[in-house]
Amino acid sequence: MALFSSLSRRAVAPASRLLAPLGAKISDGLLCSTTQLRHLSAPTKKCLVVNAVGPDRPGIVAEVTRIVTDRGGNVGESHSRLLGGHFSLMMLVEISPAEAGSLPAELEGGVGGMTTSCFEAVDPRRVEVCPQIGFAGQFKLSGADNPGMVHKLTSVLARNGLTIGSMKTSHEEAPFGGTELFNMEGRAVAYEPLASHFDGAKIKEELEELGESMNCDVEFADVTGSIIRN
């Protein structure tokens, strides 16, 4: 299944965790949010997030988008993934209020083998403006697969005030066989103002110590400058 309009999870400012409407500013793969809001005229359409997940087969995206289009809706941002034989799709849809109420039932009954859901996104009259990124770090982990690796690494990031901007994980067979390797990489950010005790070097040290305790390689690099320049 090959719809990949956006492959990374969008990061939002920790205080809001809100989905942005169509047209919100995107910067370097990070969905931006802040408390500063600009109000527009009353919307004529609703913004809905549509989710669909189920066993992979041809035609899933075509069926979902047909139902949306038949209801007069329009697909904006979307992303999809194939995970363990299951296909997962998420899309942001603009649709008239009159049609929004019936869309969930149409999707549930019209896309065979898929579990679907819809929920309303943030008020379309609210346009969120990007906050200043105070720090961005790129992380990578590689080693023999063990339970809890994702939890342990992300816990270190969260404890130090970082939120995940994008992340992907994968498995592969070791070059000489006999062992399954686990790979994890992504980007984490912290927004201005940074906490007085924030220390990127300390986070790097903590992650490297974590890697040693799990017998795997962990890398962490400050990439704040590249994000700000972009």
Side-chain angles (χ1 to χ4, degrees):
M1 190 58 58
L3 174 68
F4 289 96
S5 8
S6 171
L7 298 181
S8 62
R9 173 180 166 227
R10 304 299 190 191
V12 295
S16 64
R17 294 291 182 186
L18 295 176
L19 287 165
L22 296 176
K25 184 178 179 182
I26 303 296
S27 174
D28 193 48
L30 303 178
L31 182 60
C32 301
S33 172
T34 187
T35 55
Q36 180 183 356
L37 301 171
R38 180 161 54 90
H39 290 271
L40 304 179
S41 58
T44 58
K45 292 192 175 184
K46 283 188 173 183
C47 282
L48 301 179
V49 173
V50 174
N51 289 309
V53 63
D56 187 36
R57 61 174 175 77
I60 294 173
V61 176
E63 291 176 17
V64 173
T65 53
R66 175 187 58 78
I67 293 171
V68 170
T69 303
D70 287 349
R71 290 283 175 180
N74 182 57
V75 177
E77 297 176 44
S78 65
H79 69 87
S80 62
R81 282 292 174 92
L82 184 61
L83 298 170
H86 278 65
F87 181 71
S88 174
L89 171 68
M90 176 181 285
M91 57 177 57
L92 187 61
V93 170
E94 276 192 330
I95 192 168
S96 70
E99 299 288 353
S102 59
L103 184 62
E106 288 281 338
L107 290 168
E108 190 65 32
V111 187
M114 301 294 286
T115 299
T116 62
S117 62
C118 299
F119 59 92
E120 191 169 349
V122 67
D123 185 345
R125 292 170 295 180
R126 296 161 64 91
V127 177
E128 300 182 342
V129 184
C130 284
Q132 179 67 42
I133 294 174
F135 178 88
Q138 191 82 23
F139 58 87
K140 293 183 179 181
L141 178 152
S142 179
D145 191 20
N146 287 292
M149 299 177 82
V150 173
H151 167 68
K152 291 174 182 178
L153 188 147
T154 55
S155 293
V156 172
L157 298 176
R159 187 166 61 245
N160 286 278
L162 290 167
T163 183
I164 301 295
S166 61
M167 186 180 79
K168 65 179 180 179
T169 60
S170 62
H171 290 88
E172 63 178 331
E173 187 176 343
F176 301 103
T179 303
E180 188 175 48
L181 297 179
F182 179 76
N183 299 308
M184 173 181 179
E185 62 180 294
R187 180 174 292 174
V189 299
Y191 295 93
E192 293 283 8
L194 295 177
S196 59
H197 60 274
F198 187 90
D199 187 341
K202 175 177 172 291
I203 299 172
K204 176 181 173 68
E205 183 178 336
E206 285 188 41
L207 289 172
E208 290 175 346
E209 290 177 356
L210 175 65
E212 291 178 4
S213 71
M214 297 190 298
N215 195 28
C216 63
D217 296 325
V218 177
E219 301 175 16
F220 187 72
D222 183 346
V223 293
T224 308
S226 64
I227 289 182
I228 294 176
R229 284 195 298 272
N230 292 335

